[in-house]
Amino acid sequence: MNKQEGHLQKNAGAALHSEANAVLSSPVIAAFKVFQMELDTKHDKYERLVKLSRDVTIESKRTIFLLHRVTSVPDAEAILNEADVKLDGVRQKIHQIAEELRGEDIYQFHRAFTAGIQEFVEAASFQHYIRHRNLISLKEINARLVFRTEDKGSADTLSTESQVLTFQVMPADYLLGVADLTGELMRLCISSVGNGDMDTPFQLSQFLRQIHDGFSFIGNTGPYEVSKKLHTLRQSLGKVEDACYTLRVRGSEIPKHMLADLFSSRNTHMDPEEAVV
């Protein structure tokens, strides 16, 4: 009886082993293994892009915080030059993003890095406005994201070839970055008043009106995120126009050092009401 059971178990084990080999050699299983490898590679790349985008966002925010100091220092050019160095570091991160996207469908990974690119556009356009008093174009943004890499030849020839790698910012990311810029310009307006600069708020008011008019032309025809940010843009424009009105009508009545506090308290009071709209 024991011998018979052992023989049956041996035959069952051999059958299972043969069946397992047949399954492993199945073309369907082989195809799914390839799919698994492709998906794992894609997910790993997506996570790397998310991390790089997070780094771009952090460094861009630090650049924006730095640029806000231009209203309180005598030498604004020193701040702008320091911002150049920080933005160059951000460019190197975007260079890594471009390397990850080499040969890939950018739309499959767009959600992974769009937040970082928007923040970079915001920081670059903020610096550009402070230095040139106008809006940086999408073409100028893309011109900053052209990278040259050296491809070293063989050890015998010792030759190097320069290759060009470009990263093209999508129009939607550019528009969203510009929409976020308006919030920084509103803060620049308030801080300028606090430092006794009465001309900058009126310049910013005209500039923000032009941006608002441009976004109004897009209306609901653009991406959903663009139309959603139009409300925030209007809030920023309204606060700057309110500051200009106060300066023009009551500027002679209120001491300069109290104007910024007046605008800050008024904006804090307005935000909850505007959020309901």
Side-chain angles (χ1 to χ4, degrees):
M1 187 68 178
N2 291 336
K3 290 183 178 181
Q4 186 177 3
E5 289 180 355
H7 183 69
L8 290 175
Q9 290 178 356
K10 184 177 180 181
N11 290 338
L16 289 173
H17 182 70
S18 176
E19 184 178 352
N21 289 334
V23 169
L24 291 175
S25 62
S26 169
V28 176
I29 298 298
F32 271 88
K33 283 190 174 182
V34 174
F35 299 154
Q36 178 188 7
M37 293 176 61
E38 291 178 353
L39 287 174
D40 288 344
T41 302
K42 179 182 176 181
H43 291 159
D44 291 343
K45 185 183 292 289
Y46 192 95
E47 291 301 320
R48 290 195 299 270
L49 288 170
V50 169
K51 184 178 183 302
L52 287 170
S53 176
R54 193 179 299 118
D55 294 340
V56 170
T57 299
I58 293 172
E59 291 303 320
S60 297
K61 285 184 180 296
R62 288 174 178 169
T63 305
I64 293 172
F65 296 153
L66 171 68
L67 289 169
H68 274 294
R69 291 169 49 198
V70 297
T71 60
S72 59
V73 296
D75 186 12
E77 193 61 32
I79 297 294
L80 292 172
N81 292 336
E82 187 177 350
D84 280 330
V85 176
K86 286 186 173 294
L87 285 176
D88 189 61
V90 177
R91 286 181 62 255
Q92 297 309 314
K93 292 291 183 182
I94 298 179
H95 184 190
Q96 296 179 42
I97 292 177
E99 289 285 359
E100 291 284 353
L101 294 173
R102 189 196 292 266
E104 299 284 354
D105 181 3
I106 189 172
Y107 293 99
Q108 289 188 6
F109 301 95
H110 181 240
R111 290 177 62 89
F113 61 83
T114 177
I117 298 304
Q118 291 174 33
E119 201 70 32
F120 168 72
V121 171
E122 181 182 355
S125 57
F126 190 34
Q127 185 208 34
H128 185 87
Y129 176 80
I130 293 173
R131 179 170 277 164
H132 302 288
R133 296 295 169 176
N134 57 28
L135 179 64
I136 192 171
S137 66
L138 177 60
K139 183 178 180 180
E140 290 173 304
I141 289 282
N142 287 330
R144 297 186 181 189
L145 301 179
V146 178
F147 310 100
R148 293 189 176 276
T149 57
E150 290 186 354
D151 183 19
K152 294 184 179 180
S154 63
D156 298 332
T157 60
L158 297 178
S159 62
T160 58
E161 294 183 0
S162 179
Q163 295 182 345
V164 176
L165 180 64
T166 61
F167 182 90
Q168 297 292 312
V169 176
M170 293 186 179
D173 291 339
Y174 170 74
L175 290 173
L176 293 169
V178 171
D180 290 334
L181 167 68
T182 59
E184 303 304 329
L185 294 179
M186 182 270 294
R187 296 179 185 91
L188 180 66
C189 169
I190 304 303
S191 60
S192 297
V193 174
N195 288 281
D197 183 1
M198 303 303 168
D199 296 326
T200 297
F202 294 96
Q203 297 173 2
L204 288 170
S205 176
Q206 293 293 333
F207 182 65
L208 288 175
R209 283 195 195 104
Q210 293 174 358
I211 294 180
H212 177 266
D213 291 343
F215 273 86
S216 297
F217 283 123
I218 298 175
N220 295 325
T221 60
Y224 168 71
E225 293 85 357
V226 174
S227 60
K228 193 167 71 170
K229 292 215 174 185
L230 185 58
H231 174 63
T232 305
L233 193 159
R234 287 172 178 156
Q235 284 184 343
S236 300
L237 175 59
K239 292 172 184 177
V240 173
E241 288 180 336
D242 183 66
C244 292
Y245 169 80
T246 303
L247 287 174
R248 185 71 73 189
V249 176
R250 302 185 61 194
S252 59
E253 304 173 3
I254 305 173
K256 291 182 179 180
H257 67 277
M258 295 179 60
L259 286 171
D261 294 335
L262 175 66
F263 297 147
S264 298
S265 61
R266 182 175 300 180
N267 291 337
T268 303
H269 178 70
M270 288 172 60
D271 284 343
E273 296 180 1
E274 290 174 342
V276 178
V277 177

